[in-house]
Amino acid sequence: MFPTSSFVMQRACCRVSSLARAPSRATLSVQRRPFAVSTACSKTFEPDYLDSAVPQVPCYPPINIQMKSYNFHLLESYQSFVHNLAENMGITVSEAWATPAVTSKITNFKEGSTLVATDFTLNLYERNVQVSNLRSIDAPILLDSIRAALPQSVQLSVHEHKIEMYEDRFIPDPFINTVRSELAEGEQRAAAELEAKQEASAAKTAKKQAQLLKSIQDDEDEDY
């Protein structure tokens, strides 16, 4: 008795499903094979001579950004802005300091008399931010940014750092000023004395050479 077509189809479907369920030996061997996975290197190697071949960007000497205003709170806020802006740009902020306030007294008199009508006392505050190693390509960006954000009643100036600006932050001491003036005068006297000694030594040497040359010429004349 021959099997019917439906029976044959059922047998074929069962065989196909069994083949799909049981993975082959080749597939099992591939799945069991260990893999060596290495992470990709995200860094790029660059030789040292590439940096040396690039032309160096010139830098400015230490520069002081000086700010003055009669409004204390506004000046403090603006100084903080300038300080943070320079650091965010990668510019080295060497130092930031405040100088003693300059007090001015303003008096208004009544018209045609010496009686005081109004009396005012104003304090001019000053803040300084010193930047160093400022590149010439960063200076225009920094200066334009702080000028664009300059608030009203704040005076802004940029200049090269000098020793006098460093001393302005301290209250002047008459004794220290006297000692410094004496030291400066002593250095000037010592320099003048050294210069006079050098001139005298040079004149003495020239005189000896002239005498030696004259004696040689006299000896040559006697030989002839």
Side-chain angles (χ1 to χ4, degrees):
M1 184 176 181
F2 296 97
T4 60
S5 59
S6 61
F7 180 76
V8 173
M9 292 295 295
Q10 290 178 358
R11 292 288 300 275
C13 292
C14 291
R15 182 173 297 177
V16 170
S17 62
S18 61
L19 290 174
R21 289 172 188 164
S24 63
R25 293 182 179 179
T27 306
L28 290 175
S29 62
V30 170
Q31 291 179 353
R32 292 176 182 176
R33 185 178 299 172
F35 290 94
V37 180
S38 61
T39 58
C41 183
S42 60
K43 297 183 179 179
T44 304
F45 171 75
E46 294 184 355
D48 296 335
Y49 63 83
L50 293 180
D51 295 334
S52 60
V54 177
Q56 297 294 331
V57 179
C59 296
Y60 289 99
I63 292 178
N64 292 347
I65 303 175
Q66 187 181 70
M67 298 154 281
K68 295 181 180 181
S69 178
Y70 293 99
N71 191 332
F72 177 80
H73 302 286
L74 184 62
L75 183 63
E76 286 284 324
S77 177
Y78 185 64
Q79 181 205 4
S80 177
F81 166 76
V82 173
H83 194 146
N84 294 332
L85 177 63
E87 288 185 344
N88 292 334
M89 290 180 60
I91 301 172
T92 304
V93 179
S94 303
E95 199 173 0
W97 68 88
T99 58
V102 178
T103 304
S104 302
K105 186 176 181 180
I106 302 175
T107 304
N108 292 332
F109 297 94
K110 293 183 179 180
E111 185 177 358
S113 66
T114 57
L115 298 177
V116 177
T118 54
D119 193 1
F120 301 98
T121 301
L122 298 178
N123 294 324
L124 181 61
Y125 304 98
E126 179 182 340
R127 296 293 182 271
N128 292 270
V129 176
Q130 184 183 108
V131 294
S132 58
N133 299 327
L134 178 62
R135 302 188 301 173
S136 59
I137 58 177
D138 295 334
I141 302 174
L142 176 64
L143 298 180
D144 290 343
S145 300
I146 62 179
R147 285 183 59 188
L150 182 66
Q152 294 182 355
S153 74
V154 176
Q155 304 173 11
L156 177 66
S157 61
V158 180
H159 37 70
E160 186 178 354
H161 178 69
K162 296 181 180 179
I163 189 62
E164 293 81 5
M165 301 173 185
Y166 174 80
E167 295 177 353
D168 288 343
R169 71 176 74 181
F170 306 108
I171 299 175
D173 190 345
F175 176 74
I176 295 178
N177 293 337
T178 303
V179 172
R180 287 179 178 174
S181 61
E182 291 178 356
L183 291 175
E185 292 176 358
E187 291 178 356
Q188 292 178 358
R189 286 196 301 268
E193 292 176 358
L194 179 61
E195 185 177 359
K197 288 181 180 179
Q198 291 177 352
E199 292 178 355
S201 177
K204 188 176 181 180
T205 304
K207 186 177 180 181
K208 287 183 178 180
Q209 291 178 354
Q211 291 177 356
L212 179 61
L213 181 61
K214 185 178 180 181
S215 63
I216 293 173
Q217 292 177 352
D218 294 341
D219 293 339
E220 290 178 353
D221 294 338
E222 290 178 359
D223 293 338
Y224 287 111

